[in-house]
Amino acid sequence: MKFLGRLLTTTIACTGMFALAATASAQTAAPAPAPAASAAPAPGYHIVDRIPIGDGWWDYVNVEPVHHRLFAARGNGVFEMDLDSGLIDNRFIPGSEGRAVIPLPGGDAMLTTMAGYSSAILFSTVEGNIIKLVELDQASDSAVYEPVGKRVWVMGGHGKAAAIDPATKEVDGTIELGEPLEFSQTDGRGRVFVNASESASVIVFDAVKRKLVGKWKMTGCEDPSGMAYVEGADVILSVCFNNMLKVLDAKTGEELATLPVGKGADAVIYDKVRKRAFVPSAYDGVLTVLKVDGRRDIHVEEVVPTQIGTRTGAVDPTTGTLYLPTARFGPLNKLGWPEAIPGTVQMLVMKPN
């Protein structure tokens, strides 16, 4: 999510990266960290399909497991694909500057955040009917359903986390966290974790008591964005823009490990069935595959080429298939944005050997 905002600032040198993407070398992955030695052979994730998904920007992606559908928050609304039939709806619901889309308990309703509306939209999973547009104080970014308090927490672009009650479909409280907020996760026991990009920290709050628990600074990290919570190991995986992923104790914030990943990563995708985490990186065009064997035994299993610009995605927990949206890019436009070349926006489909 930070990736889009970063394009409009001088904090990165993205001009060279996306100019490169417009050349023939755009599909060639940059040198990547070598995978750690392992007794078992790497699973060999590779691209098996490229599905055209219509022109336009995208952000976070999610799989709704009950109805087996893939959703992506996009610049003009929410994209939907039926994973059984393959049928696609490029604008399942309309919107503006989509950031995240998450399933709600039961599977019949979803919530998406729309920064362009400073709102969250509740909609039906199958029909795509809009149930309610919930107005927020700040441009909305990530969202996470916290099961103990039974609320969706939406992270604001200026530091406010807002609680939405799915039953009443209203905001019923906020917490001020002090700086722009990125991706968020929960441990399922009442705590919510969110990456704070300016301070390169993980902010932790108690969603039931609605109070700040801690702020864990990550050594050497720049602009953390994507995050995953690993239930069995009770750790947070937080990815930094500058080629590193932090493994943090979810109770204390202790840094347990720092692992190499590609540059410009914006997501950590965790497959709890197969105990693997995936980090797609936009600048290097690679996917780093991490094997999670325990809280102190998380290692790089393999690094495989994807495509420059590939930065978010989702995993189907049923099949283990990865879905990663991407495109090829041309020169920067007048606003400093890299323009996706028309007809090149697609969903990469990746599977292991």
Side-chain angles (χ1 to χ4, degrees):
M1 297 181 187
K2 180 68 174 178
F3 186 85
L4 294 178
R6 192 181 283 117
L7 297 174
L8 298 176
T9 71
T10 59
T11 60
I12 62 165
C14 72
T15 303
M17 173 263 181
F18 283 104
L20 174 65
T23 70
S25 62
Q27 306 305 312
T28 303
S38 175
Y45 281 86
H46 60 287
I47 298 170
V48 297
D49 201 0
R50 296 174 180 265
I51 302 171
I53 61 173
D55 292 338
W57 278 103
W58 65 90
D59 209 335
Y60 268 83
V61 186
N62 219 325
V63 171
E64 193 287 301
V66 176
H67 301 284
H68 206 214
R69 297 186 175 198
L70 178 82
F71 293 88
R74 303 200 64 184
N76 67 347
V78 174
F79 164 93
E80 180 260 355
M81 180 169 68
D82 187 315
L83 295 178
D84 294 322
S85 68
L87 293 176
I88 285 173
D89 189 332
N90 277 316
R91 203 179 187 207
F92 191 63
I93 66 162
S96 175
E97 296 184 41
R99 291 292 180 263
V101 58
I102 64 168
L104 299 179
D108 291 334
M110 306 280 293
L111 179 142
T112 184
T113 57
M114 291 287 157
Y117 297 154
S118 295
S119 70
I121 298 175
L122 292 145
F123 65 95
S124 61
T125 303
V126 177
E127 292 85 6
N129 300 327
I130 293 177
I131 300 168
K132 180 72 179 290
L133 186 147
V134 181
E135 295 183 356
L136 301 165
D137 292 342
Q138 300 180 358
S140 51
D141 205 314
S142 73
V144 61
Y145 178 77
E146 196 289 303
V148 178
K150 298 181 179 179
R151 298 292 187 269
V152 177
W153 285 91
V154 177
M155 306 303 154
H158 297 287
K160 183 181 288 185
I164 297 176
D165 184 344
T168 65
K169 305 172 185 60
E170 301 288 348
V171 175
D172 74 349
T174 61
I175 298 176
E176 181 58 59
L177 299 178
E179 62 178 295
L181 305 173
E182 277 292 322
F183 201 73
S184 50
Q185 289 279 265
T186 177
D187 62 2
R189 302 190 300 272
R191 280 188 169 191
V192 171
F193 311 88
V194 58
N195 272 330
S197 56
E198 288 184 352
S199 64
S201 303
V202 172
I203 296 176
V204 191
F205 64 89
D206 187 314
V208 178
K209 297 179 180 178
R210 303 196 175 183
K211 67 176 185 179
L212 184 68
V213 173
K215 187 172 183 178
W216 303 332
K217 175 73 175 176
M218 292 180 284
T219 306
C221 176
E222 296 177 7
D223 287 340
S225 55
M227 173 189 287
Y229 172 72
V230 180
E231 184 176 354
D234 200 20
V235 295
I236 294 292
L237 307 180
S238 179
V239 72
C240 308
F241 183 79
N242 56 324
N243 300 84
M244 65 176 66
L245 177 138
K246 296 288 185 177
V247 182
L248 305 179
D249 185 301
K251 290 188 175 68
T252 67
E254 176 191 357
E255 287 193 16
L256 303 177
T258 299
L259 300 173
V261 295
K263 186 177 182 180
D266 199 18
V268 183
I269 306 159
Y270 184 61
D271 183 348
K272 64 180 181 181
V273 176
R274 295 153 194 88
K275 299 188 185 306
R276 286 187 173 87
F278 307 92
V279 181
S281 58
Y283 276 43
D284 293 340
V286 296
L287 178 75
T288 304
V289 182
L290 307 171
K291 187 69 169 64
V292 181
D293 290 324
R295 59 188 286 102
R296 294 185 181 274
D297 189 6
I298 301 173
H299 57 272
V300 176
E301 190 172 40
E302 64 177 344
V303 178
V304 295
T306 52
Q307 183 172 311
I308 287 174
T310 307
R311 59 185 180 82
T312 65
V315 64
D316 180 351
T318 303
T319 65
T321 303
L322 283 165
Y323 296 90
L324 310 171
T326 192
R328 291 174 53 223
F329 294 90
L332 302 183
N333 63 21
K334 293 180 180 180
L335 297 176
W337 286 74
E339 291 280 4
I341 298 172
T344 70
V345 183
Q346 58 192 238
M347 190 73 70
L348 301 185
V349 183
M350 300 188 73
K351 294 182 178 180
N353 289 328

